Amino acid sequence: MPGDQLTEETIQRVFLNATSAKIEEFFSKWNFSNANSTKFGMSEAERNLLGDEISAKIDNDDLASILLETVRLISRERQGLESLLNENLCDTILKLAGITPVVGYPRSVHALMEAQKCLVNTMFHSAKMRERFYMNLVNGDQIQRFLSEFEDSRRENSNIQWIREMNPTQAAEVWYFYHRIAFIATAMDKGFQRHWADQSTTVSNILCAAEVCLQKAPDDVANLDLLRANEAMKTFFNVFCHFHGDVPGLDEKNTHLACRILRDVICSGIPNDDVIQSAIHALSVPPLPMDLSVLLSDPNFPIVPLPETISEEERVHPRDYYVNMTLTEAILAALDKQLIKAVDLLNSVPFNQVSPEGNTLVDLSGPYFQALARLCVESKYARRYCRIRVLPPLVADEVKKRPEEHDSLRGRIVRVMMLPSTTKEVASEFLFIICKRSVSRMIKYVGFGHSAGHLANFGLLGQINQPKHASDSEDSETEDYNAVKDNVNPVTGAMYPPDHGSAMDGMSDAQKEFEAMKLVDAMNKLMDQGLVKPGTIGDDGKVREVSHVLELLKDAPEPETMDSDSD
């Protein structure tokens, strides 16, 4: 570790009878030497002593900034942090960060920003700091107020003096760190999430930073504006992602506002994938209603009210009046861009190995599928558009390869369905929705092998042999596909290889029967040994374990239940 080791002897020497100037001189050098350190090699006793000494001096105007910087550096290391922090030190950091409202605080912009950075680290790594923060709901209310109070026009007219007196550069950075603190605070405690989700001011306060970006010309949007907007939408996701059904903070007015801001961000063409991703994640939260009057309207024009002439029923369910697909296309394009990166990473490693970075990108694409699925459920126009974009009519060339081998959005989604992740389920559900929940259409586009798990989860395996509906072929097949579809393997979704012939070619019926019985006998032995557990489709459409191998025969009668006491 660079610089002086903070041993008990060193700490006592620095603080004992030392002037503020001497303490500042020592820790200025120590902080500079350890600016890039993440490990400090301090014992619990040394951390305890340092925390007590800093706590006694940190409220001194001359030392606040430098000692806060020291705490910030040491708090990078999670291990032993609880020993450094005591209740007084935690409360002083909150006070210096302007979060606990106390007259006369914060005292300087430099100390304020150091306290904010300190709080980002300690809130993330320390249960003690989180406990001191969450014990007073005023802290959360104060942060939420700050999320919108630093917008230029509000800041200039704020009734808080220290906010009014900041210059724009300082205010922009302070505003960003309040968003960082809000993101961590809303990620760590469900009670805090509920408190914010119940407030009618939450949506407008959180998304104020995103709206500021939209109000600026593209060339005037600074990188800090984008970082702040990104944190804002991540905080929105944290607040609402665990709730279902009606939430007080998402009333009709706030729903309209949230949908408009998130739509405009997604469709804005902002050249920042993280910002677009956060907006789509925020749009996907379960309690946010899909306001079609906003989401399926042209973002370049004001939202048009419904005509006065429509019936009351149409006014309650006005789906047919909103058909603009700008947002839907933007989400599909963002999803495809994300999956291109993910699939390239997944395919860059051997099939039996894992690409952590690729899996992370796949996991982050889950909310894209959720947002699209919810749009498609609410709007038949969105569903039709997604079907055309993702599952266009099949042609003969497309079934020469397996679905997952195609360099297309459909191929990349099927590739995701091959992974053992939660995203696999939402991707499958999205495809099933745009297939109009048709089992036969789903199998045709992705193959039974890829769709079997999803169908089994919903008890739909019993429908795989049902006759197709006329709509299953509507707009989904071409003449050249019809010419080859009898040669398509329904399990893989691709054509059989030319030399796929049967292993029983040339056998007599007696030979075939002999081979079949050998197979039955071998499977029965494996079942008796517990090595395999074959299943069949039960009356409920879900897989159940068979009690005898003969149950696997198509149309075989159910075995009679035997009395457990009989021989």
Side-chain angles (χ1 to χ4, degrees), residues 325-361:
M325 294 295 121
T326 303
L327 173 71
T328 309
E329 173 58 32
I331 299 176
L332 285 169
L335 171 65
D336 200 20
K337 187 175 182 180
Q338 179 103 324
L339 293 184
I340 288 172
K341 297 177 187 175
V343 170
D344 285 346
L345 289 167
L346 293 172
N347 292 340
S348 67
V349 298
F351 193 77
N352 60 345
Q353 295 182 16
V354 174
S355 167
E357 190 178 352
N359 284 349
T360 297
L361 286 175

Side-chain angles (χ1 to χ4, degrees), residues 276-331:
I276 301 300
Q277 174 178 280
S278 295
I280 295 173
H281 283 198
L283 186 64
S284 74
V285 295
L288 179 64
M290 292 282 103
D291 188 341
L292 299 185
S293 69
V294 177
L295 301 178
L296 298 187
S297 293
D298 192 332
N300 297 311
F301 295 94
I303 296 169
V304 179
L306 292 172
E308 296 292 335
T309 55
I310 69 172
S311 68
E312 186 61 31
E313 182 180 355
E314 290 174 314
R315 192 171 293 279
V316 175
H317 302 289
R319 293 171 173 82
D320 289 345
Y321 285 88
Y322 304 114
V323 296
N324 186 282
M325 294 295 121
T326 303
L327 173 71
T328 309
E329 173 58 32
I331 299 176

Side-chain angles (χ1 to χ4, degrees), residues 8 308 552:
E8 291 187 58
E308 296 292 335
L552 298 175

